[in-house]
Amino acid sequence: MKTAFLAAALLAQASAFAPANQGSRAATSLNAEMSKALPFLKRPELLDGSMAGDVGFDPLGLSEINGVGVDLYWLREAEIKHCRIAMLAAAGNVWVEAFGPAPGCEAATAKNQMDAFWQLWKVHPQYIVAGLIFIMFAEAISGIACTSGRESGMRAPGDFGFNPFGYPDDEPRYQKFKEQEIANGRLAMFAAAGQIMQGMTTGQGALENFNSVFN
């Protein structure tokens, strides 16, 4: 009896120092490589979570493109740019519908933004042309910043030095702002596209379409 008890105790002590189960470690390693956004797909190699808003969502493998001047840096620059524009557009659509057109654009009286665009084009086409010229200059500046930043590695995508509160890059609050910018920007891209598409379908503005849900 004593011999059996001693053997069992020695076996238990030996198992404490035994290597971990290989299957468990393999499962842990496999889970670590899976995408957070799409758990049934593997995480893309370059999407390692270091960028704000990165949850490994890349079902088309766009992050692996590296040719004709397009790579992950360029794609990130484009995403941040469109996020910022979309936030302005979504808010601007609602603002103009609620409070009226900007000074000098009184001809754009339609609630639907596409109809308002063509109203303005008929009366003041020079405004549209001026806007296109401004976009050309903005894109040129953005392109130069993107190219030089990608080559030097000294500039993060979308970084134009706008930091009025002077937060350091490693400040947790600043990192939170980056996460919020991406999250709200992605939502705004859907919102702005939805406002325009719904307006073209119904002929109404964003607020009118929203109110019609409850009527």
Side-chain angles (χ1 to χ4, degrees):
M1 185 64 178
K2 291 182 179 180
T3 303
F5 179 78
L6 181 61
L10 291 174
L11 183 61
Q13 291 178 355
S15 64
F17 295 96
N21 183 277
Q22 295 294 328
S24 175
R25 286 192 300 180
T28 302
S29 176
L30 181 62
N31 290 335
E33 296 176 358
M34 302 306 287
S35 166
K36 292 182 180 179
L38 302 171
F40 50 87
L41 294 178
K42 288 188 176 181
R43 173 182 61 81
E45 182 179 355
L46 297 179
L47 300 183
D48 56 3
S50 59
M51 297 187 299
D54 176 14
V55 290
F57 181 82
D58 186 20
L60 301 180
L62 299 178
S63 62
E64 300 174 1
I65 297 177
N66 190 15
V68 296
V70 177
D71 57 8
L72 182 59
Y73 186 100
W74 187 91
L75 293 172
R76 180 64 169 184
E77 180 85 17
E79 180 185 33
I80 294 176
K81 181 192 305 180
H82 286 85
C83 280
R84 292 167 177 169
I85 293 174
M87 285 188 283
L88 292 174
N93 286 340
V94 175
W95 176 273
V96 171
E97 183 180 355
F99 301 103
C105 303
E106 289 81 4
T109 57
K111 299 295 184 181
N112 176 5
Q113 289 304 305
M114 290 306 300
D115 290 342
F117 173 86
W118 291 116
Q119 286 178 337
L120 189 62
W121 171 259
K122 291 180 181 179
V123 180
H124 296 295
Q126 69 273 19
Y127 289 1
I128 309 301
V129 174
L132 293 174
I133 294 175
F134 173 79
I135 292 173
M136 291 173 57
F137 279 105
E139 281 296 304
I141 296 172
S142 176
I144 294 172
C146 180
T147 302
S148 60
R150 179 167 49 185
E151 293 176 351
S152 66
M154 301 298 292
R155 172 186 177 271
D159 182 10
F160 289 93
F162 182 76
N163 185 8
F165 297 103
Y167 290 118
D169 289 340
D170 57 351
E171 172 73 27
R173 187 180 300 179
Y174 191 52
Q175 295 301 319
K176 183 179 180 181
F177 287 157
K178 290 182 179 180
E179 295 279 351
Q180 292 174 338
E181 179 184 37
I182 291 296
N184 288 293
R186 289 169 176 170
L187 180 61
M189 285 191 280
F190 283 103
Q195 288 172 348
I196 294 173
M197 184 63 68
Q198 195 171 32
M200 294 173 63
T201 303
T202 64
Q204 297 178 327
L207 294 178
E208 288 178 324
N209 284 313
F210 179 76
N211 291 332
S212 66
V213 175
F214 304 98
N215 295 328

